[in-house]
Amino acid sequence: MRPLIIRRLQAARGDPDARLYTGPRGGRISTAVLRDATHWDDVTRDLGYEHLRRHDLRHTGLTWMADAGILPHILKEIAGHRLITTTQRYFHPDVLRILKAGQALTHHLEKLQRDGQITRHW
């Protein structure tokens, strides 16, 4: 991938507004062009995933990056969102991560209680 992108950057000749990849008519790549070029409908049907949309992969990718520790404001830039609240709607933590977060909070509160920093029982 890296050599391909380097060649595209060189072809842009330093123009910050140049598109690295263009559609068949030289403009932006539309979702229809991308769908056709990747044979999305055929591939998902053959795999038995007709319900899967390309945009679902965007949600998955941003969730994985968030789970890897990439900060939300960086993910906002990667996704090209104007608002961080839009980016946050893309995060879908799995049930195990939610359970682990609850356990971490419980352990923290128990430690505070043992150390006498809180006296209230929950």
Side-chain angles (χ1 to χ4, degrees):
M1 229 14 230
R2 188 178 298 261
L4 178 65
I5 293 172
I6 289 171
R7 282 196 305 272
R8 295 305 307 158
L9 286 169
Q10 289 169 342
R13 296 189 177 117
D15 179 359
D17 296 322
R19 296 184 189 275
L20 293 183
Y21 299 96
T22 58
R25 295 187 196 107
R28 71 179 189 83
I29 299 173
S30 70
T31 57
V33 167
L34 186 60
R35 182 192 64 236
D36 294 345
T38 60
H39 306 281
W40 183 266
D41 296 333
D42 296 333
V43 170
T44 55
R45 184 191 60 246
D46 292 349
L47 292 172
Y49 288 101
E50 296 91 350
H51 62 283
L52 185 66
R53 301 165 300 149
R54 290 180 315 281
H55 196 76
D56 296 335
L57 300 176
R58 185 171 165 90
H59 283 253
T60 300
L62 287 170
T63 297
W64 286 351
M65 287 187 267
D67 288 348
I70 298 173
L71 297 172
H73 70 281
I74 302 296
L75 292 174
K76 177 178 103 35
E77 295 299 319
I78 291 169
H81 294 145
R82 190 172 57 83
L83 301 172
I84 197 146
T85 53
T86 303
T87 307
Q88 290 169 327
R89 285 191 293 244
Y90 279 71
F91 304 158
H92 307 286
D94 62 34
V95 173
L96 183 59
R97 287 187 184 272
I98 293 170
L99 289 173
K100 285 183 178 180
Q103 291 168 345
L105 176 60
T106 298
H107 293 303
H108 177 71
L109 292 173
E110 288 171 346
K111 182 181 182 321
L112 290 176
Q113 187 178 24
R114 278 193 311 272
D115 294 347
Q117 295 179 14
I118 58 173
T119 57
R120 187 172 183 185
H121 296 278
W122 56 94

